[in-house]
Amino acid sequence: MAPVINQARRGGTLRLAFLSAVVSLVATFAASAAPIPLFNVYRAEEGFTNAGISMAVVTTAVGTIAALLVLGRLSSHLGRRRTALASLGLLLLGCLLLLNVHDIGTLLAGRLLMGVGAGLASTSLTSYIVDAAPPRPEWLAAVASSQGPMLGLTLGAITSGALVQFGPWPRDLIYLVCAGLLVLSAALIVISPETAQPTPGAWRSLLPRVRVPAGVRHLLPVAAAVFLATWATGAFYQAFVPALVDDQLHTHSPLILGLVFAAYMAPSVLGAPLGGRFTSAAAQGVGMIIFLAGWIGIITAIAFGTLALFIATTIVAGAGQGIAISAATRGLLHGSTLADRASIFSVVYVLCYSGAAFPSLISGELSNTFALPQIVLGYGALALVATLITVLAARTSHIGTARNSQHGELVK
């Protein structure tokens, strides 16, 4: 009976690790979304511009990319728990700094800290999730690791909007709530087991290097198109939707702003498991077609100033991105080893945050010259290009599979 008991105990401790990592990942991105409903408050009370708010989004993404490039492989050497705790500590410091935002420099500094913390969490916690995930259902690890951030962003935006509009201390309470959630997450990590034993080479791992296992390298271009377009849209919702909701859709409610942002993120979580019914290539194509349909509706809603249509088509785009992102992640993780996972997630999130950073940087500069509806058209064009790349790749994959099957080969 001893081996059975030991196996049961191991299964129980791995479930605790899985739960702790998921909760911590959600808390990480809930804290990252906390300032979004406050952006219009900062615009009104502190005089921040659209370009300044866009720069805050860029700063977060740049901090995350830097952490991914320098710290992305650290969890494979120091262990998942230590690096996860370090990431939560950085996010906590960012929340505390944002309690006193009265100039753009403080906002940028707080967002930079949170970006570095989110970058370190993105590799350590997602690798922890995949390490500890149960073997069935097979899609659970990919969905939990890719959609945990979306769930966190959803909860953070809605909670922040509600507390800013209805709670006491509207500029502070959400950061205190996030700080408490981060402390709780750290406590869960502390009592969870380690899944990756420390290995030598931690200092060498700090040298920036991005590596994808050779077996999935051919999938990277299409996955890059998916990650870049969908995360660029997420950054658009952070940087420009506060002003759009206020100026074009004629509502000043922080809660509505939080709900609009959540309308893009929440369907991503619900749409992701649907992609498990298809092959990775097919699911990416289906997801991006839905994503593009949503973007066409978003552009139409802004042109007519219709809030209800804007929210409805935002939900459609969010569902499409959930299917596409989880499918792309599933394809890259297929057959990966424990040692490969931190590197794979580093690449995934470098692409994601590059999609968030560079279009936001360009759009922030263009916002001084062009009106917001014109900026929106640029993001719609990016969605169109990414969809065409993904659909053509899925069609090529289908034709290749059919031809190989005629020759009696088994193709994944």
Side-chain angles (χ1 to χ4, degrees), residues 54 57-59 61-62 65 231-232 235 352-362:
S54 179
V57 176
V58 172
T59 300
V62 168
I65 292 170
W231 278 66
C352 290
Y353 281 98
S354 294
F358 295 115
S360 292
L361 182 61
I362 295 168

Side-chain angles (χ1 to χ4, degrees), residues 44 82 224 238 245 269 331 384:
R82 289 182 183 177
Q238 294 183 54
V245 167
V269 181
L384 173 61

Side-chain angles (χ1 to χ4, degrees), residues 168-306:
W169 321 308
R171 292 176 56 142
D172 301 327
L173 184 56
I174 182 58
Y175 297 125
L176 296 174
V177 170
C178 287
L181 186 58
L182 292 168
V183 170
L184 173 62
S185 300
L188 288 172
I189 295 293
V190 166
I191 63 174
S192 298
E194 179 59 76
T195 56
Q197 294 305 314
T199 59
W203 286 109
R204 289 194 302 276
S205 75
L206 300 180
L207 294 173
R209 188 180 72 174
V210 175
R211 183 182 65 83
V212 180
V216 296
R217 214 166 281 166
H218 64 287
L219 302 175
L220 200 56
V222 176
V226 169
F227 295 140
L228 289 171
T230 55
W231 278 66
T233 300
F236 160 78
Y237 271 76
Q238 294 183 54
F240 296 107
V241 165
L244 279 170
V245 167
D246 198 357
D247 302 337
Q248 305 291 323
L249 302 176
H250 316 298
T251 178
H252 308 292
S253 166
L255 178 57
I256 293 296
L257 176 55
L259 289 171
V260 167
F261 182 74
Y264 180 62
M265 296 300 170
S268 177
V269 181
L270 300 176
L274 298 177
R277 300 172 181 269
F278 305 94
T279 65
S280 174
Q284 287 177 79
V286 170
M288 289 303 290
I289 289 171
I290 296 172
F291 175 73
L292 179 61
W295 252 111
I296 293 170
I298 289 166
I299 293 170
T300 304
I302 292 171
F304 288 96
T306 309

